[in-house]
Amino acid sequence: LFPYTTLFRSDVAVYSRVLNRDEISALASTKPSLLYYLENAAAPEVREQWAKLTQLRREREALERSFPTVMVMAELPQRRPTHVLQRGQYDKPGEVVEPGVPAQLHPLPAGAPNNRLGFAQWLIAPENPLTARVAVNRFWQMMFGVGLVKTVEDFGLQGEWPSHPELLDWMATEFVRSGWDVKGLLKLMVTSATYRQDSKATPELLQRDPENRLLARGARFRVPAESVRDTALAVAGLLDARIGGPSVKPYQPDGLWKELTMQDMDYTQAHGRDLYRRSLYTFWKRTVAPPMLANFDAANREACVVRESRTNTPLQALNLMNDVQFVEAARVFGQRMMLEGGATPEERLRHGFRLATGRAPKAAELEVLRGSLSYHLDYFAGDAKRVEQFLAQGEAPVDARVD
């Protein structure tokens, strides 16, 4: 009779006639009976108000379920005692110890509580010699490929001595003085004479400083895996620069999850704008990393990694030449060159080179591009099936203005 809860035999009463409204109202003392009464036997205006209230409750629950949840920590009202464990055994507590900071460094700021909040204030205090230097060193690695302290993951006794300690000290103090202005720090780096140097190196310089630790030439290194994909999308004009939101699932070989996880789990590819979001938002299954990112040495996320390895393998070249994401980006990039680059092939080649590199091509580079264009014109000429297969790569539409 009542679908709202489990009923037992004693909850059911059978009457030989249909009860009137007053009798039902008098019997509506339990929750199931009350719900039935409000939905079926109450006065019309009461049923209408009850229906509105029920709908509002459902909408509120749906809204609350849509909120992202964040785990937070809070201090206990009464801190539990912490012991030094004798020989590391949990059942042999020793001396009681209190939280604190290393005695060799500065104390907690005046008035700071001796808890996580106080520790956070201690970390960013101007007197702290580590936080700003570690942060600056990681930003330097991002811009130059190698940190001033090469072992960016280790500033301790096992780490490497900085190549330019005075420079590291100065940038760290400037970073703190500016109010931890990350954008200002990066601007300082990229507008420096050191960053804007030519990356060419003489044989003598390569012999003396193969890793460019002395910064006598411009940095030259392969960008991280995420930047490889994002750069291709940006050059093609496909990159979706929206900030925030849930993870997305771009192109991936069919059946990869099922084959590698031995579970009945399938990868549901995204569509539309979500295919072109920055790699930061790519859904990551820890046991099956996105194949393109793993191929280009992205960390597997089983542990924190601040210095990724960089390899150069044939598989990476095959990835760039055959992955749907990159073939589609190349197709749309060519379309962009034809629509924006001018009327002649050479104008379009110059425009594409400028979009990809930020500079005009040299004569030798332009000659290589002409040869590549001629080869591909011959490759596709007179073969409609090849053209159709190429244009079908990816979901980005073909502009009707392109012949």
Side-chain angles (χ1 to χ4, degrees), residues 116-139:
R116 291 183 179 91
L117 175 59
F119 179 62
Q121 295 172 351
W122 178 84
L123 280 176
I124 61 171
E127 300 83 11
N128 193 313
L130 287 175
T131 306
R133 286 171 174 79
V134 170
V136 164
N137 193 55
R138 292 188 183 179
F139 287 125

Side-chain angles (χ1 to χ4, degrees), residues 106-301:
H106 62 288
L108 288 171
N114 190 17
N115 54 23
R116 291 183 179 91
L117 175 59
F119 179 62
Q121 295 172 351
W122 178 84
L123 280 176
I124 61 171
E127 300 83 11
N128 193 313
L130 287 175
T131 306
R133 286 171 174 79
V134 170
V136 164
N137 193 55
R138 292 188 183 179
F139 287 125
W140 187 274
Q141 176 186 251
M142 185 171 69
M143 293 291 104
F144 291 87
V146 180
L148 293 172
V149 177
K150 186 177 181 180
T151 54
V152 292
E153 72 282 359
D154 190 349
F155 262 60
L157 293 176
Q158 301 298 318
E160 185 176 297
W161 190 259
S163 59
H164 299 73
E166 295 85 358
L167 176 60
L168 181 61
D169 290 345
W170 178 79
M171 285 197 300
T173 55
E174 281 294 296
F175 191 35
V176 175
R177 186 193 60 78
S178 67
W180 307 87
D181 184 0
V182 174
K183 186 175 182 179
L185 177 67
L186 294 176
K187 182 178 180 181
L188 178 67
M189 291 181 184
V190 299
T191 56
S192 67
T194 303
Y195 183 83
R196 292 182 291 157
Q197 291 182 106
D198 195 326
S199 60
K200 287 183 178 179
T202 62
E204 294 78 11
L205 189 56
L206 286 174
Q207 178 81 17
R208 181 182 177 188
D209 184 21
E211 295 185 352
N212 195 29
R213 303 291 286 129
L214 300 178
L215 303 173
R217 60 184 185 274
R220 183 172 60 186
F221 60 95
R222 200 205 72 213
V223 295
E226 295 83 358
S227 297
V228 173
R229 176 178 174 273
D230 293 354
T231 300
L233 293 176
V235 168
L238 289 171
L239 185 67
D240 185 345
R242 284 178 294 163
I243 296 176
S247 298
V248 295
K249 296 178 179 178
Y251 303 113
Q252 180 172 290
D254 293 336
L256 186 63
W257 277 16
K258 287 186 176 180
E259 182 176 343
L260 295 181
T261 62
M262 294 182 293
Q263 298 175 356
D264 189 19
M265 299 178 65
D266 204 0
Y267 183 90
T268 304
Q269 179 190 299
H271 300 282
R273 295 176 64 190
D274 286 348
L275 284 173
Y276 314 112
R277 296 211 67 189
R278 290 187 297 160
S279 301
L280 171 69
Y281 299 104
T282 297
F283 184 90
W284 195 289
K285 184 175 175 60
R286 191 167 57 180
T287 54
V288 188
M292 177 266 150
L293 299 181
N295 195 18
F296 281 86
D297 309 309
N300 59 18
R301 304 196 183 185

